[in-house]
Amino acid sequence: MFAFIIRRLLQSLIVMLAVAFISFSLFNFVGDPVNNMVGQEATAEQREALRVQLGLNDPFPIQFARFIGNAVQGDFGVSYRLSRPVSDVIATRLPATLELVFVAAVLALVIGLPLGVYTGLHRHGFGSKVLLTLSLIGISLPTFLIGIMLILIFAVWLGWLPSFGRGDTVQIGWWSTNFLTVAGWKSIIMPAVTLCLFQLTLIMRLVRAEMMEVLRTDYIKFARARGLSNRAVHFGHALKNTMVPVITITGLQIGSLIAFAIITETVFQWPGMGLLFLQAIQFADIPVMAAYLCLVAFIFVVINLMVDLLYYAVDPRLRVERSGGGH
Amino acid sequence: MAIQSDTKPLLEVKNLRIEFPTRRGVLTAVDDISFDIMPGEVLGVVGESGAGKSLTGAAVIGLLEPPGRIAAGSISLEGQRIDNLPYEKMRQIRGRKIGAIFQDPLTSLNPLYSIGRQLVETIQTHTDMSESQARRRAVELLADVGIPAPERRVDQYPHQFSGGMRQRVVIALALAVNPKLVIADEPTTALDVSIQAQILDLIRKLCKERNVGVIIITHDMGVIAETADRVAVMYAGRIAEIGPVRDVIKHAKHPYTHGLMGSIPTIGHDTEKLTQIDGSMPRLTDIPRGCAFNPRCPKAFDKCFVDRPELIQVEQTRAACWLYEKEAVHG
Ligand SMILES: Nc1ncnc2c1ncn2[C@@H]1O[C@H](COP(=O)(O)OP(=O)(O)OP(=O)(O)O)[C@@H](O)[C@H]1O
Ligand code: SF4
Ligand SMILES: [Mg+2]
């Protein structure tokens, strides 16, 4: 198991290096950073001095190494657009996105899993058919459309929920949270629901398919033949066997939630990283874009590692094979 | 040989019919079969693929999968009807009174739980034993089925056992709460030939010791010869012949049984199995009029193509064949 973790860590490192390389390349391929930093009227000498100061005349590998060295310390330079250190800008936006993604992920799992189990067990029931039809809608409607419909209904017509922004947040150190005020909760509901719908239906359909698959297996039939109660068969035996694929997909989906958040944040003017990233693209704000890419890649990698570790908790076959030094 | 004719049967199956409603009409997969099993008796059920053996077993244990259903007849265990019980009542009989052994030990056990947990769960479902009592019982059971070092093995997972060992675990699970009847559906088909005989011996020995009735389902006359006291030969959803193993093997009455006996493979040396007879069993959708075996029967005569034979007592066995009609009448 230890060897396996080391191997996964190495793989993660390679992924991170590749992403860092792409981020770094942005600086060289998208415009000249010096142009972005000094005005039109700067002289050639001033520009050259800045180039030396920024190390832009150094050989490529040295520049890349310096980029990584800084990035590891959280230093991605200064935002062209906001003229503030990128790390500060991100720090103000990160909590908004992570809280949104967290609520969406919890909703998707807490609602999607039981619905998947229900529709898997009661395949032919009326409730299952209704849910499956609804889930088709959930999967095929574009996020922004759902967002706009929600705004129309709950903000414009009913006036129950705010249509944009984070509402009141409470600052805890550098972290600003929605979770401590009523207005904060009210603000996060619609974006989180919008963001989670796709993943919720995905998890529901996945769990349903896996349940139906597992219920056909011999060990489930044998569990019934042993006279176990339906509850033990369905939840003790069947559900646990659906967990490995469900953990995988859920883990990957948390990554996609961060990506999807770009659209949701735009619709709801949610001041998170997705919105920041879109604005950065519009202004060719390379340091922010580079930092966003690296950060999102990092989150992906961490989630994947956690998913791998969860497998071990769930499936004894992996524990023995790997620790036995096999492979 | 301790079977007394005056003891009450453990299991009575009477005129059982199993149907599948389909779009193109109702398929009758098991058609009007009847048999008894005495306590401690091993009944072999043999027949080609699709003869209805597994369905019969599934019906007895109450696990027919819809749309399959019992359309007629009755199944009684210790004199009590069990074919029409509500789900919860029948669930309590499964495992408690009727145990099951499935074909493939590699897939019969849940890979995510230790075998100890699966045993304890079965025991606790049907008894008031505490966790530690149930665990002690689990270790005993593993020892009974011949698993070495049971105290250590009880905490291991299915994948840590070989196929033969897993089938022993499955047997332990089937016998965990001392059922009266065990249904073993091809318990050795998936196993390595070298251990098939061991597993059959184990099933027979344990069930004889505990006076457990057994239905052993197989394709393989060799398995029947080795384990069963009586045998029912099934063909196209019906019983073609039923009687004591010795009589059926030595003096088969039904032409189909004769064909099966063409070569009794010793266990492990079979490949051809039941393909001795030319042709194949008809599908459920085109079972011929009269005797279902008539297209393949070397002795078929006029009547066989018109009327369906019922079981007729011939010496020690009963055979569904018109050849014996006169004997029944005149003899
Ligand atoms: N769900 C179903 N729908 C329609 N027919 C079915 C269904 N399940 C089983 N049958 C039919 O019932 C018949 C008997 O099946 P069964 O499984 O009892 O055969 P078997 O004697 O156990 O054969 P095998 O040796 O292959 O296990 C088969 O002809 C099969 O086609
Ligand atoms: S009834 Fe006729 S066809 Fe059927 S087995 Fe007997 S002889 Fe053959
Ligand atoms: Mg079968």
Side-chain angles (χ1 to χ4, degrees):
Chain A
M1 163 138 189
F2 187 67
F4 172 74
I5 293 178
I6 298 285
R7 196 163 56 230
R8 294 317 293 253
L9 280 175
L10 278 178
Q11 284 169 359
S12 310
L13 203 65
I14 293 169
V15 170
M16 285 310 302
L17 276 178
V19 173
F21 184 77
I22 293 168
S23 309
F24 174 67
S25 306
L26 287 175
F27 286 95
N28 293 298
F29 295 129
V30 188
D32 179 356
V34 173
N35 270 347
N36 289 312
M37 296 175 78
V38 299
Q40 287 293 324
E41 62 282 357
T43 65
E45 289 78 40
Q46 283 172 316
R47 284 164 188 269
E48 189 53 30
L50 189 57
R51 294 193 77 84
V52 172
Q53 188 199 331
L54 290 176
L56 291 179
N57 291 339
D58 292 341
F60 183 84
I62 295 192
Q63 289 192 43
F64 185 46
R66 191 160 47 226
F67 172 80
I68 289 178
N70 290 337
V72 168
Q73 297 165 38
D75 178 5
F76 283 89
V78 173
S79 161
Y80 298 160
R81 182 171 68 94
L82 302 165
S83 306
R84 282 165 50 205
V86 173
S87 48
D88 289 0
V89 178
I90 298 256
T92 60
R93 299 299 195 98
L94 186 66
T97 294
L98 289 188
E99 290 194 345
L100 176 62
V101 167
F102 174 75
V103 175
V106 169
L107 281 178
L109 209 55
V110 166
I111 301 174
L113 200 72
L115 289 187
V117 171
Y118 174 82
T119 53
L121 290 179
H122 307 277
R123 238 173 309 170
H124 305 293
F126 179 71
S128 297
K129 286 184 181 139
V130 171
L131 282 168
L132 283 175
T133 314
L134 282 179
S135 81
L136 263 187
I137 299 172
I139 262 181
S140 48
L141 274 188
T143 311
F144 69 88
L145 200 63
I146 294 171
I148 289 170
M149 273 164 37
L150 287 181
I151 291 177
L152 188 67
I153 297 169
F154 292 101
V156 179
W157 289 348
L158 297 174
W160 291 350
L161 299 170
S163 62
F164 68 91
R166 276 186 93 180
D168 294 340
T169 59
V170 174
Q171 206 72 24
I172 304 173
W174 62 273
W175 188 279
S176 61
T177 180
N178 270 61
F179 298 153
L180 296 177
T181 63
V182 174
W185 277 106
K186 276 185 160 179
S187 305
I188 206 167
I189 291 175
M190 278 203 294
V193 166
T194 308
L195 183 57
C196 85
L197 271 186
F198 184 83
Q199 270 70 23
L200 189 158
T201 48
L202 203 74
I203 289 175
M204 170 183 139
R205 290 177 153 263
L206 175 79
V207 171
R208 172 186 134 88
E210 289 293 328
M211 276 301 271
M212 282 162 46
E213 183 82 29
V214 170
L215 286 174
R216 274 197 292 273
T217 60
D218 281 353
Y219 56 81
I220 293 299
K221 290 183 192 148
F222 191 52
R224 287 197 204 287
R226 287 187 275 141
L228 303 190
S229 68
N230 272 340
R231 222 185 73 203
V233 173
H234 294 157
F235 298 98
H237 286 266
L239 186 59
K240 187 159 184 196
N241 272 282
T242 68
M243 279 299 114
V244 165
V246 170
I247 290 171
T248 316
I249 299 292
T250 308
L252 293 178
Q253 287 307 313
I254 291 178
S256 334
L257 280 175
I258 294 177
F260 274 106
I262 295 179
I263 303 169
T264 311
E265 288 181 6
T266 310
V267 172
F268 290 94
Q269 288 298 301
W270 186 261
M273 291 197 305
L275 200 58
L276 179 72
F277 181 63
L278 270 194
Q279 291 161 346
I281 291 177
Q282 280 160 11
F283 287 88
D285 194 347
I286 309 292
V288 172
M289 287 162 67
Y292 177 85
L293 286 181
C294 290
L295 189 64
V296 170
F298 181 71
I299 294 173
F300 260 88
V301 162
V302 169
I303 290 170
N304 272 331
L305 277 176
M306 281 170 18
V307 164
D308 283 334
L309 292 181
L310 273 177
Y311 284 171
Y312 279 93
V314 171
D315 196 334
R317 284 167 293 190
L318 295 172
R319 293 204 283 269
V320 172
E321 275 155 33
R322 308 273 194 182
S323 67
H327 267 310
Chain B
M1 298 296 100
I3 304 151
Q4 248 113 71
S5 50
D6 53 27
T7 49
K8 281 228 207 88
L10 169 69
L11 180 80
E12 288 170 280
V13 175
K14 284 211 182 92
N15 307 105
L16 177 68
R17 190 160 84 227
I18 299 172
E19 292 181 347
F20 288 92
T22 67
R23 278 194 206 107
R24 273 182 257 110
V26 175
L27 292 179
T28 305
V30 168
D31 191 1
D32 194 25
I33 68 171
S34 304
F35 61 89
D36 292 349
I37 296 180
M38 293 294 160
E41 184 186 35
V42 181
L43 174 75
V45 177
V46 67
E48 277 165 279
S49 191
K53 308 181 297 291
S54 296
L55 289 178
T56 305
V60 170
I61 200 168
L63 286 177
L64 269 183
E65 284 179 34
R69 61 184 161 95
I70 296 177
S74 67
I75 302 171
S76 309
L77 185 74
E78 298 179 314
Q80 183 207 0
R81 268 190 77 168
I82 56 169
D83 55 293
N84 52 4
L85 291 180
Y87 184 90
E88 184 57 23
K89 277 260 156 36
M90 192 59 204
R91 176 185 77 69
Q92 288 166 8
I93 287 179
R94 280 197 286 276
R96 179 79 195 82
K97 297 247 163 131
I98 308 178
I101 300 171
F102 284 12
Q103 173 172 349
D104 190 351
L106 299 188
T107 56
S108 296
L109 300 169
N110 188 336
L112 301 187
Y113 292 126
S114 72
I115 59 158
R117 195 199 130 150
Q118 300 186 50
L119 276 162
V120 166
E121 160 189 65
T122 311
I123 294 165
Q124 288 195 311
T125 299
H126 298 292
T127 66
D128 299 330
M129 281 192 208
S130 71
E131 179 90 26
S132 60
Q133 283 173 316
R135 199 186 138 87
R136 236 171 296 138
R137 171 97 180 112
V139 173
E140 276 168 32
L141 280 161
L142 291 180
D144 288 351
V145 296
I147 288 179
E151 299 85 1
R152 187 171 57 82
R153 298 289 259 172
V154 72
D155 291 319
Q156 293 187 340
Y157 290 88
H159 69 269
Q160 293 167 282
F161 291 77
S162 68
M165 284 295 155
R166 279 195 231 185
Q167 196 63 312
R168 287 171 191 266
V169 173
V170 169
I171 294 170
L173 280 162
L175 295 175
V177 268
N178 297 318
K180 295 287 195 304
L181 176 71
V182 165
I183 298 172
D185 193 344
E186 313 206 21
T188 56
T189 310
L191 293 177
D192 200 280
V193 285
S194 59
I195 45 178
Q196 291 187 355
Q198 290 173 24
I199 295 295
L200 290 173
D201 285 349
L202 180 70
I203 294 176
R204 188 177 160 90
K205 175 179 139 270
L206 290 175
C207 292
K208 287 291 170 194
E209 277 171 17
R210 292 155 204 234
N211 206 29
V212 175
V214 181
I215 300 180
I216 193 157
I217 295 171
T218 177
H219 293 111
D220 191 335
M221 260 300 178
V223 169
I224 299 286
E226 195 104 342
T227 27
D229 301 314
R230 265 190 326 136
V231 56
V233 179
M234 285 189 72
Y235 188 81
R238 304 191 122 218
I239 291 178
E241 179 162 1
I242 182 166
V245 166
R246 202 184 280 236
D247 299 86
V248 173
I249 287 180
K250 289 239 177 75
H251 316 285
K253 297 293 178 298
H254 196 285
Y256 178 61
T257 320
H258 253 293
L260 292 185
M261 296 308 156
S263 70
I264 296 180
T266 41
I267 293 178
H269 296 273
D270 53 28
T271 37
E272 295 293 300
K273 286 184 184 158
L274 305 187
T275 49
Q276 295 298 316
I277 311 151
D278 288 339
S280 58
M281 206 173 62
R283 275 178 307 172
L284 295 181
T285 41
D286 42 33
I287 291 180
R289 201 168 121 89
C291 174
F293 188 56
N294 67 34
R296 298 165 80 186
C297 182
K299 300 192 175 161
F301 58 103
D302 311 349
K303 186 162 189 178
C304 308
F305 297 90
V306 186
D307 293 321
R308 198 174 249 200
E310 297 299 326
L311 283 172
I312 298 165
Q313 186 78 39
V314 197
E315 294 157 22
Q316 299 302 308
T317 80
R318 288 184 297 149
C321 175
W322 289 128
L323 290 176
Y324 301 99
E325 189 187 24
K326 284 160 284 170
E327 290 182 28
V329 174
H330 306 297

